[in-house]
């Protein structure tokens, strides 16, 4: 029984396998190609046949290229074999080993890497072996070996100095091994898997003919020379070096040969036995060494039989050198190896290198001075498509990465767009910049304001003038600054109601720190982050289409038309039909709410808008609301509608009448001299139901106005419906449903210019109220919930409802956007569900008795 140890590179072997007296070993390597017919690779079969024992039994492939060995200390022989891509069964297993890498980078790129690794292992075996057995998959000599041998020899010469540097680190290394860089010029033997179709008597002569043919080919191609030291390997001149695999023995012959070999009975030597063929070379190596030089003037050959420990130490260091050295490193030999093996890759890189400037030029063609990341990605996609269509081979992916880096570098070098989103969600179209007062590490950037280039059309607080407004980037500009600027040319001289705002007592004040504040974006989570593209940036007509309107230039309405808009007392049976359920009973007097600053902080202000959950005693720095009086109630004619309000859709510029049954009750303790209820100017007589109590009907005109980003305006006839008057200007609806129900804050605009069939969303912006000439005050107390719960209800800040003066035309402007401690609420994304998104809560309008003079 033979004793030996199997091992696998790069796993270190145990020192226990070495005998006490460290023998000088002979190294035999098996390389070459095998076919798929055999159960085991031919290289494993050769080793098993030599020992007449299944040394290697596992045929499973776990790596694309590996080296395994068997050390027989009794025979002082070490066998190595290499499984690599030159074996058919290894190629068959590639899809299971590296399928993801193969699919991602392509077969050529993956196969060139495998060939590089396998060829490195072959060079390693030629440097550490005495005998190399080259297997052939058929009965013919594979001419591809000639090119492989040339490649191995070229790379060996280039790496000779690097190999010597590695061997210097091995203690006890023989000097000749260090000088030559290898044990010797290894002797190569050729093993053919298939036997040619000849008789046994003619096999020997055919074997000699094959040897002569191989020798002439290798000499002609200068693979072998007279001096074997200068060649990759040598061929024996007076010994056989070609072996044909014998025929498959039948069962009886196999058992007989096994019996003779076991008990050494009879003639165990077979002239066509592989062990005999290999033994003659092993014995010569162990006794005399090889001297395969030919010619007259030749020197001695170098042949080293190293101790086993020294060989293993040197072999593992050389294996690490050949395995872990990168192809793109400083080692010229590995670069040469890559260029020789990867011919397809060389062509691919040359082709892609030629196309890369064309792809970059395609990216840079017709570029603006600065552009967005989306435009950058689109141009980069076009450039990549050009490179992919004209590039060839495995280098396409590599050059696509280079193209991506070059395009990004070009874009970031002064051509990036700011793209900071506005409140609505449109990106800033300015170059990358800093904002005044903003701390930024890039101090070289210019200081510019954000600007998206998108313009909307909005009316002023009184609604008589329209102008283009920039896409807002902060709430103050959206709700206050824009209207303050436009009021200077329109409604600045009209009467305004001042809303509660912060008034500092000194120069040192700050924003209040609110609990739970986590606002980090300019818009709500449920608002679309970015509007795709920036085409059609101006959503409305040019601002020159909106001439300035003078306040003094107002249309006058005939007195007869105005009589319909005044309060009328009930007469006869009409007065008897007053609904008791809808009757408003007014018993007390109410004063106009005044703003007191005693209970409010003068050092801290509210950084957002007021709502029902805002902390008590803190006011905002500016008001997002506006309440303005246009003048007398005679400015509105129910027959003509809103004649001085531009932008209204046809048939929608009318207010709705609101008939309010009122029971006015006087306090008996109050004298009639200080009251105005006796001389209210009604044409009819009030019905006295009880002593000190009158019942009459008050007619108020109310309109809830919506405005879309294009400047189209319309009134609502009922919650969720657009007002549509007849051609003669007749309005059949009343304001009963508007005042008694929640009114949607957003509605799809019915304008005919919606893009792609997707309706623009109009927002509730104004509440029109025409008060009557009566002894009552119309009051307003708006509460707005701009989004579904848990969104808070936003309020004006007055502790009591605001009383509107009689016989006047008032307009309440709502905020353009709403902001609490956590987020900003703007238009919803989907127009189909806009009506259910936010509401103006019911109870906004009311009526109280006129106060004393």
């Amino acid at each position: 029984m033979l004793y030996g140890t199997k091992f696998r590179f790069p796993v270190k072997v145990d020192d226990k396998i070495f005998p006490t007296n460290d023998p000088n070993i002979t190294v035999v390597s098996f390389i070459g190609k095998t076919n798929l017919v055999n159960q085991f690779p031919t290289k494993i079969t050769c080793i098993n046949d030599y020992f007449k024992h299944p040394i290697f039994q596992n045929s499973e492939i776990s790596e694309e290229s590996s080296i395994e060995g068997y050390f027989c200390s009794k025979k002082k022989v070490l066998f190595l074999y290499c499984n690599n891509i030159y074996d058919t069964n290894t190629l068959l297993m590639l899809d299971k080993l590296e399928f993801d890498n193969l699919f991602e980078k392509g077969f050529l790129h993956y196969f060139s890497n495998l060939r590089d690794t396998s060829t490195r292992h072959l060079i390693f075996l030629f440097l550490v072996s005495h005998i190399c057995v080259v297997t052939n998959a058929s009965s013919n000599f594979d001419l591809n070996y000639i090119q492989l041998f040339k490649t191995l020899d070229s790379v060996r010469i280039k790496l000779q100095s690097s190999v010597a540097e590695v061997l210097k680190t091995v203690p006890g290394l023989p000097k000749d091994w260090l000088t030559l860089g290898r044990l010797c010029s290894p002797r190569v033997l050729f093993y053919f898997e298939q036997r040619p179709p000849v008789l046994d008597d003619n096999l020997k002569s055919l074997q000699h003919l094959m040897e002569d043919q191989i020798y002439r080919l290798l000499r002609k191609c200068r693979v072998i020379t007279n001096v074997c030291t200068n060649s990759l390997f040598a061929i024996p001149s007076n010994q056989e070096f070609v072996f044909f695999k014998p025929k498959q023995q039948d069962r009886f012959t196999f058992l007989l040969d096994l019996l003779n070999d076991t008990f050494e009975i009879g003639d165990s030597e077979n002239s066509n036995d592989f062990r005999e063929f290999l033994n003659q070379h092993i014995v010569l190596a162990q006794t005399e060494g090889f001297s395969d030089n030919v010619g007259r003037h030749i020197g001695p050959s170098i042949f080293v039989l190293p101790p086993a420990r020294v060989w293993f130490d040197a072999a593992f260091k050389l294996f690490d050198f050949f395995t872990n050295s990168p192809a793109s490193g400083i080692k010229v030999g590995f670069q040469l190896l890559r260029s020789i093996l990867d011919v397809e890759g060389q062509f691919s890189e040359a082709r892609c290198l030629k196309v890369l400037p064309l792809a970059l030029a395609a990216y840079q063609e017709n570029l603006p001075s600065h552009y967005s990341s989306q435009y950058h990605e689109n141009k980069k996609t076009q450039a990549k498509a050009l490179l992919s269509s004209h590039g060839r081979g495995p280098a396409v992916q590599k050059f696509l990465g280079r193209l991506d880096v070059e395009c990004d570098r070009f874009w970031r070098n002064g051509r990036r767009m700011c793209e900071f989103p506005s409140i609505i969600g449109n990106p800033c179209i300015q170059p990358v910049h800093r904002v005044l007062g903003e701390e930024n590490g890039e101090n070289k950037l210019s200081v510019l304001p954000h600007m998206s280039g998108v313009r909307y059309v909005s009316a002023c607080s009184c609604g008589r003038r329209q102008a283009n407004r920039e896409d807002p980037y902060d709430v103050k500009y959206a709700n206050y600054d824009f209207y303050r600027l436009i009021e200077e040319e329109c409604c600045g001289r009209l009467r305004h109601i001042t809303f509660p705002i912060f008034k500092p007592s000194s120069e040192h004040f700050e924003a209040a720190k609110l609990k739970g504040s986590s606002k980090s974006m300019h818009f709500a989570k449920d608002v679309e982050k970015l509007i795709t593209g920036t085409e059609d940036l101006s959503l409305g007509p040019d601002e020159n289409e909106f001439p300035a309107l003078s306040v003094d230039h107002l249309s006058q309405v005939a007195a007869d038309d105005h009589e319909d808009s005044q309060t009328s007392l009930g007469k006869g049976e009409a007065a008897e039909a007053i609904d008791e359920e809808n009757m408003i009973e007014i018993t007390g007097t109410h004063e106009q709410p005044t703003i007191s600053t005693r209970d409010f902080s003068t050092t801290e202000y509210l950084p957002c808008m007021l709502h029902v959950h805002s902390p008590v005693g803190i006011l905002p720095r500016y008001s997002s609301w506006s309440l303005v009086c246009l003048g007398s109630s005679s400015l509105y004619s129910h027959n003509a509608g809103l004649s001085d309000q531009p932008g209204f859709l046809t048939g929608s510029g009318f207010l709705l009448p609101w008939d309010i049954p009122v029971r006015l009750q006087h306090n008996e303790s109050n004298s009639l001299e200080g009251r105005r209820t006796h001389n209210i100017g009604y044409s009819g007589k009030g019905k006295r139901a009880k002593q000190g109590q009158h019942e009459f009907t008050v007619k108020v005109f109310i309109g809830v106005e919506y405005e879309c980003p294009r400047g189209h305006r319309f009134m609502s006839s009922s919650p969720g419906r657009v007002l549509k008057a007849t051609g003669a200007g007749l309005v059949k609806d009343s304001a009963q449903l508007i005042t008694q129900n929640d009114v949607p804050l957003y509605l799809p605009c019915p304008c005919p210019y919606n893009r792609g069939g997707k309706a623009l969303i109009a927002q509730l912006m104004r509440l029109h109220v025409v008060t009557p000439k009566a002894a009552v005050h119309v009051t307003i107390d708006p509460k707005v919930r701009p989004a579904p719960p848990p969104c808070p209800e936003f309020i004006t800040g007055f502790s009591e409802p605001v009383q509107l003066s009689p016989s006047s035309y008032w307009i309440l402007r709502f905020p353009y956007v709403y902001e609490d401690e956590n987020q900003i609420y703007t238009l919803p994304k989907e127009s189909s569900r806009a009506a259910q998104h936010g509401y103006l809560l019911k109870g906004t309008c009311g009526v109280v008795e006129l106060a004393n003079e």
Side-chain angles (χ1 to χ4, degrees), residues 33-54:
K33 303 177 181 180
T34 57
N35 56 35
L36 195 59
V37 177
N38 301 330
Q39 181 181 2
F40 295 102
T42 305
K43 291 163 281 192
I44 295 179
T45 306
C46 290
I47 300 176
N48 294 340
D49 289 347
Y50 178 83
F51 288 103
K52 301 295 183 179
H53 187 78

PDB file of all heavy atoms in Angstrom, residues 33-54:
ATOM      1  N   LYS A  33      -5.505  19.471 -22.214  1.00  0.00           N
ATOM      2  CA  LYS A  33      -6.931  19.507 -22.477  1.00  0.00           C
ATOM      3  C   LYS A  33      -7.530  18.118 -22.343  1.00  0.00           C
ATOM      4  O   LYS A  33      -6.879  17.114 -22.620  1.00  0.00           O
ATOM      5  CB  LYS A  33      -7.210  20.036 -23.895  1.00  0.00           C
ATOM      6  CG  LYS A  33      -6.609  21.420 -24.159  1.00  0.00           C
ATOM      7  CD  LYS A  33      -6.845  21.866 -25.580  1.00  0.00           C
ATOM      8  CE  LYS A  33      -6.226  23.240 -25.845  1.00  0.00           C
ATOM      9  NZ  LYS A  33      -6.441  23.691 -27.219  1.00  0.00           N
ATOM     10  N   THR A  34      -8.792  18.100 -21.917  1.00  0.00           N
ATOM     11  CA  THR A  34      -9.524  16.838 -21.807  1.00  0.00           C
ATOM     12  C   THR A  34     -10.897  17.022 -22.426  1.00  0.00           C
ATOM     13  O   THR A  34     -11.409  18.144 -22.535  1.00  0.00           O
ATOM     14  CB  THR A  34      -9.686  16.421 -20.330  1.00  0.00           C
ATOM     15  OG1 THR A  34     -10.350  17.471 -19.623  1.00  0.00           O
ATOM     16  CG2 THR A  34      -8.326  16.164 -19.689  1.00  0.00           C
ATOM     17  N   ASN A  35     -11.486  15.891 -22.839  1.00  0.00           N
ATOM     18  CA  ASN A  35     -12.823  15.955 -23.428  1.00  0.00           C
ATOM     19  C   ASN A  35     -13.880  15.614 -22.396  1.00  0.00           C
ATOM     20  O   ASN A  35     -13.586  15.312 -21.237  1.00  0.00           O
ATOM     21  CB  ASN A  35     -12.913  15.049 -24.657  1.00  0.00           C
ATOM     22  CG  ASN A  35     -12.541  13.605 -24.320  1.00  0.00           C
ATOM     23  OD1 ASN A  35     -12.829  13.127 -23.229  1.00  0.00           O
ATOM     24  ND2 ASN A  35     -11.892  12.924 -25.267  1.00  0.00           N
ATOM     25  N   LEU A  36     -15.121  15.630 -22.840  1.00  0.00           N
ATOM     26  CA  LEU A  36     -16.258  15.439 -21.936  1.00  0.00           C
ATOM     27  C   LEU A  36     -16.685  13.980 -21.827  1.00  0.00           C
ATOM     28  O   LEU A  36     -17.554  13.641 -21.043  1.00  0.00           O
ATOM     29  CB  LEU A  36     -17.443  16.288 -22.428  1.00  0.00           C
ATOM     30  CG  LEU A  36     -18.604  16.519 -21.467  1.00  0.00           C
ATOM     31  CD1 LEU A  36     -18.122  17.212 -20.202  1.00  0.00           C
ATOM     32  CD2 LEU A  36     -19.693  17.323 -22.132  1.00  0.00           C
ATOM     33  N   VAL A  37     -16.035  13.097 -22.600  1.00  0.00           N
ATOM     34  CA  VAL A  37     -16.454  11.688 -22.613  1.00  0.00           C
ATOM     35  C   VAL A  37     -16.081  11.012 -21.309  1.00  0.00           C
ATOM     36  O   VAL A  37     -16.840  10.219 -20.752  1.00  0.00           O
ATOM     37  CB  VAL A  37     -15.824  10.958 -23.811  1.00  0.00           C
ATOM     38  CG1 VAL A  37     -16.192   9.495 -23.789  1.00  0.00           C
ATOM     39  CG2 VAL A  37     -16.264  11.618 -25.106  1.00  0.00           C
ATOM     40  N   ASN A  38     -14.902  11.338 -20.779  1.00  0.00           N
ATOM     41  CA  ASN A  38     -14.411  10.654 -19.589  1.00  0.00           C
ATOM     42  C   ASN A  38     -15.151  11.115 -18.345  1.00  0.00           C
ATOM     43  O   ASN A  38     -15.562  12.269 -18.231  1.00  0.00           O
ATOM     44  CB  ASN A  38     -12.915  10.911 -19.406  1.00  0.00           C
ATOM     45  CG  ASN A  38     -12.114  10.437 -20.611  1.00  0.00           C
ATOM     46  OD1 ASN A  38     -12.500   9.497 -21.291  1.00  0.00           O
ATOM     47  ND2 ASN A  38     -11.001  11.111 -20.863  1.00  0.00           N
ATOM     48  N   GLN A  39     -15.299  10.178 -17.416  1.00  0.00           N
ATOM     49  CA  GLN A  39     -15.931  10.513 -16.145  1.00  0.00           C
ATOM     50  C   GLN A  39     -15.052  11.447 -15.330  1.00  0.00           C
ATOM     51  O   GLN A  39     -15.528  12.371 -14.684  1.00  0.00           O
ATOM     52  CB  GLN A  39     -16.236   9.233 -15.362  1.00  0.00           C
ATOM     53  CG  GLN A  39     -16.918   9.496 -14.017  1.00  0.00           C
ATOM     54  CD  GLN A  39     -17.186   8.217 -13.261  1.00  0.00           C
ATOM     55  OE1 GLN A  39     -16.815   7.136 -13.735  1.00  0.00           O
ATOM     56  NE2 GLN A  39     -17.832   8.323 -12.110  1.00  0.00           N
ATOM     57  N   PHE A  40     -13.733  11.161 -15.355  1.00  0.00           N
ATOM     58  CA  PHE A  40     -12.753  12.009 -14.682  1.00  0.00           C
ATOM     59  C   PHE A  40     -11.893  12.690 -15.737  1.00  0.00           C
ATOM     60  O   PHE A  40     -11.672  12.146 -16.815  1.00  0.00           O
ATOM     61  CB  PHE A  40     -11.860  11.185 -13.751  1.00  0.00           C
ATOM     62  CG  PHE A  40     -12.602  10.557 -12.603  1.00  0.00           C
ATOM     63  CD1 PHE A  40     -12.950   9.214 -12.629  1.00  0.00           C
ATOM     64  CD2 PHE A  40     -12.932  11.302 -11.483  1.00  0.00           C
ATOM     65  CE1 PHE A  40     -13.626   8.640 -11.583  1.00  0.00           C
ATOM     66  CE2 PHE A  40     -13.607  10.720 -10.426  1.00  0.00           C
ATOM     67  CZ  PHE A  40     -13.966   9.384 -10.465  1.00  0.00           C
ATOM     68  N   PRO A  41     -11.347  13.843 -15.420  1.00  0.00           N
ATOM     69  CA  PRO A  41     -10.385  14.457 -16.341  1.00  0.00           C
ATOM     70  C   PRO A  41      -9.189  13.535 -16.574  1.00  0.00           C
ATOM     71  O   PRO A  41      -8.784  12.756 -15.703  1.00  0.00           O
ATOM     72  CB  PRO A  41      -9.969  15.744 -15.619  1.00  0.00           C
ATOM     73  CG  PRO A  41     -11.092  16.044 -14.689  1.00  0.00           C
ATOM     74  CD  PRO A  41     -11.648  14.727 -14.276  1.00  0.00           C
ATOM     75  N   THR A  42      -8.620  13.603 -17.768  1.00  0.00           N
ATOM     76  CA  THR A  42      -7.525  12.708 -18.150  1.00  0.00           C
ATOM     77  C   THR A  42      -6.340  12.855 -17.205  1.00  0.00           C
ATOM     78  O   THR A  42      -5.644  11.875 -16.905  1.00  0.00           O
ATOM     79  CB  THR A  42      -7.097  13.018 -19.591  1.00  0.00           C
ATOM     80  OG1 THR A  42      -8.233  12.940 -20.438  1.00  0.00           O
ATOM     81  CG2 THR A  42      -6.041  12.042 -20.057  1.00  0.00           C
ATOM     82  N   LYS A  43      -6.116  14.083 -16.701  1.00  0.00           N
ATOM     83  CA  LYS A  43      -4.972  14.298 -15.814  1.00  0.00           C
ATOM     84  C   LYS A  43      -5.128  13.522 -14.517  1.00  0.00           C
ATOM     85  O   LYS A  43      -4.143  13.015 -13.957  1.00  0.00           O
ATOM     86  CB  LYS A  43      -4.835  15.795 -15.543  1.00  0.00           C
ATOM     87  CG  LYS A  43      -4.389  16.575 -16.767  1.00  0.00           C
ATOM     88  CD  LYS A  43      -4.622  18.050 -16.655  1.00  0.00           C
ATOM     89  CE  LYS A  43      -6.049  18.425 -16.927  1.00  0.00           C
ATOM     90  NZ  LYS A  43      -6.263  19.871 -17.106  1.00  0.00           N
ATOM     91  N   ILE A  44      -6.362  13.408 -14.007  1.00  0.00           N
ATOM     92  CA  ILE A  44      -6.587  12.601 -12.806  1.00  0.00           C
ATOM     93  C   ILE A  44      -6.421  11.130 -13.133  1.00  0.00           C
ATOM     94  O   ILE A  44      -5.834  10.355 -12.356  1.00  0.00           O
ATOM     95  CB  ILE A  44      -7.986  12.894 -12.239  1.00  0.00           C
ATOM     96  CG1 ILE A  44      -8.076  14.335 -11.755  1.00  0.00           C
ATOM     97  CG2 ILE A  44      -8.321  11.938 -11.116  1.00  0.00           C
ATOM     98  CD1 ILE A  44      -9.418  14.728 -11.189  1.00  0.00           C
ATOM     99  N   THR A  45      -6.900  10.717 -14.300  1.00  0.00           N
ATOM    100  CA  THR A  45      -6.796   9.310 -14.703  1.00  0.00           C
ATOM    101  C   THR A  45      -5.342   8.867 -14.838  1.00  0.00           C
ATOM    102  O   THR A  45      -4.978   7.741 -14.473  1.00  0.00           O
ATOM    103  CB  THR A  45      -7.542   9.099 -16.025  1.00  0.00           C
ATOM    104  OG1 THR A  45      -8.879   9.581 -15.893  1.00  0.00           O
ATOM    105  CG2 THR A  45      -7.571   7.626 -16.396  1.00  0.00           C
ATOM    106  N   CYS A  46      -4.487   9.759 -15.347  1.00  0.00           N
ATOM    107  CA  CYS A  46      -3.069   9.410 -15.494  1.00  0.00           C
ATOM    108  C   CYS A  46      -2.429   9.120 -14.141  1.00  0.00           C
ATOM    109  O   CYS A  46      -1.658   8.148 -13.997  1.00  0.00           O
ATOM    110  CB  CYS A  46      -2.334  10.545 -16.188  1.00  0.00           C
ATOM    111  SG  CYS A  46      -2.760  10.756 -17.930  1.00  0.00           S
ATOM    112  N   ILE A  47      -2.739   9.946 -13.135  1.00  0.00           N
ATOM    113  CA  ILE A  47      -2.161   9.725 -11.805  1.00  0.00           C
ATOM    114  C   ILE A  47      -2.695   8.443 -11.199  1.00  0.00           C
ATOM    115  O   ILE A  47      -1.941   7.644 -10.602  1.00  0.00           O
ATOM    116  CB  ILE A  47      -2.452  10.931 -10.899  1.00  0.00           C
ATOM    117  CG1 ILE A  47      -1.834  12.205 -11.490  1.00  0.00           C
ATOM    118  CG2 ILE A  47      -1.935  10.696  -9.489  1.00  0.00           C
ATOM    119  CD1 ILE A  47      -2.160  13.462 -10.712  1.00  0.00           C
ATOM    120  N   ASN A  48      -3.991   8.201 -11.351  1.00  0.00           N
ATOM    121  CA  ASN A  48      -4.572   6.964 -10.822  1.00  0.00           C
ATOM    122  C   ASN A  48      -4.007   5.734 -11.522  1.00  0.00           C
ATOM    123  O   ASN A  48      -3.777   4.691 -10.891  1.00  0.00           O
ATOM    124  CB  ASN A  48      -6.092   7.012 -10.952  1.00  0.00           C
ATOM    125  CG  ASN A  48      -6.722   8.081 -10.067  1.00  0.00           C
ATOM    126  OD1 ASN A  48      -6.104   8.542  -9.104  1.00  0.00           O
ATOM    127  ND2 ASN A  48      -7.957   8.457 -10.388  1.00  0.00           N
ATOM    128  N   ASP A  49      -3.782   5.868 -12.841  1.00  0.00           N
ATOM    129  CA  ASP A  49      -3.212   4.725 -13.576  1.00  0.00           C
ATOM    130  C   ASP A  49      -1.771   4.445 -13.156  1.00  0.00           C
ATOM    131  O   ASP A  49      -1.330   3.293 -13.135  1.00  0.00           O
ATOM    132  CB  ASP A  49      -3.273   4.999 -15.084  1.00  0.00           C
ATOM    133  CG  ASP A  49      -4.688   4.933 -15.626  1.00  0.00           C
ATOM    134  OD1 ASP A  49      -5.565   4.432 -14.892  1.00  0.00           O
ATOM    135  OD2 ASP A  49      -4.928   5.408 -16.752  1.00  0.00           O
ATOM    136  N   TYR A  50      -1.063   5.491 -12.824  1.00  0.00           N
ATOM    137  CA  TYR A  50       0.331   5.287 -12.437  1.00  0.00           C
ATOM    138  C   TYR A  50       0.424   4.494 -11.134  1.00  0.00           C
ATOM    139  O   TYR A  50       1.247   3.596 -10.982  1.00  0.00           O
ATOM    140  CB  TYR A  50       1.023   6.640 -12.297  1.00  0.00           C
ATOM    141  CG  TYR A  50       2.462   6.536 -11.850  1.00  0.00           C
ATOM    142  CD1 TYR A  50       3.467   6.273 -12.777  1.00  0.00           C
ATOM    143  CD2 TYR A  50       2.803   6.670 -10.494  1.00  0.00           C
ATOM    144  CE1 TYR A  50       4.799   6.164 -12.362  1.00  0.00           C
ATOM    145  CE2 TYR A  50       4.132   6.571 -10.076  1.00  0.00           C
ATOM    146  CZ  TYR A  50       5.113   6.314 -11.022  1.00  0.00           C
ATOM    147  OH  TYR A  50       6.438   6.193 -10.613  1.00  0.00           O
ATOM    148  N   PHE A  51      -0.435   4.843 -10.176  1.00  0.00           N
ATOM    149  CA  PHE A  51      -0.389   4.160  -8.888  1.00  0.00           C
ATOM    150  C   PHE A  51      -1.283   2.926  -8.843  1.00  0.00           C
ATOM    151  O   PHE A  51      -1.281   2.216  -7.820  1.00  0.00           O
ATOM    152  CB  PHE A  51      -0.807   5.121  -7.770  1.00  0.00           C
ATOM    153  CG  PHE A  51       0.199   6.178  -7.454  1.00  0.00           C
ATOM    154  CD1 PHE A  51       0.037   7.477  -7.903  1.00  0.00           C
ATOM    155  CD2 PHE A  51       1.320   5.877  -6.706  1.00  0.00           C
ATOM    156  CE1 PHE A  51       0.956   8.458  -7.608  1.00  0.00           C
ATOM    157  CE2 PHE A  51       2.252   6.861  -6.408  1.00  0.00           C
ATOM    158  CZ  PHE A  51       2.078   8.151  -6.858  1.00  0.00           C
ATOM    159  N   LYS A  52      -2.043   2.698  -9.915  1.00  0.00           N
ATOM    160  CA  LYS A  52      -2.996   1.591  -9.912  1.00  0.00           C
ATOM    161  C   LYS A  52      -3.934   1.680  -8.707  1.00  0.00           C
ATOM    162  O   LYS A  52      -4.339   0.677  -8.118  1.00  0.00           O
ATOM    163  CB  LYS A  52      -2.268   0.245  -9.891  1.00  0.00           C
ATOM    164  CG  LYS A  52      -1.336  -0.012 -11.044  1.00  0.00           C
ATOM    165  CD  LYS A  52      -2.106  -0.104 -12.355  1.00  0.00           C
ATOM    166  CE  LYS A  52      -1.152  -0.442 -13.514  1.00  0.00           C
ATOM    167  NZ  LYS A  52      -1.871  -0.572 -14.784  1.00  0.00           N
ATOM    168  N   HIS A  53      -4.271   2.909  -8.384  1.00  0.00           N
ATOM    169  CA  HIS A  53      -5.091   3.155  -7.212  1.00  0.00           C
ATOM    170  C   HIS A  53      -5.826   4.481  -7.410  1.00  0.00           C
ATOM    171  O   HIS A  53      -5.245   5.435  -7.928  1.00  0.00           O
ATOM    172  CB  HIS A  53      -4.211   3.209  -5.945  1.00  0.00           C
ATOM    173  CG  HIS A  53      -4.997   3.290  -4.672  1.00  0.00           C
ATOM    174  ND1 HIS A  53      -5.612   2.188  -4.106  1.00  0.00           N
ATOM    175  CD2 HIS A  53      -5.272   4.335  -3.841  1.00  0.00           C
ATOM    176  CE1 HIS A  53      -6.213   2.554  -2.989  1.00  0.00           C
ATOM    177  NE2 HIS A  53      -6.028   3.843  -2.800  1.00  0.00           N
ATOM    178  N   PRO A  54      -7.096   4.561  -7.005  1.00  0.00           N
ATOM    179  CA  PRO A  54      -7.858   5.827  -7.188  1.00  0.00           C
ATOM    180  C   PRO A  54      -7.417   6.889  -6.186  1.00  0.00           C
ATOM    181  O   PRO A  54      -8.051   7.106  -5.153  1.00  0.00           O
ATOM    182  CB  PRO A  54      -9.311   5.401  -6.979  1.00  0.00           C
ATOM    183  CG  PRO A  54      -9.227   4.209  -6.079  1.00  0.00           C
ATOM    184  CD  PRO A  54      -7.959   3.483  -6.456  1.00  0.00           C
TER     185      PRO A  54
END
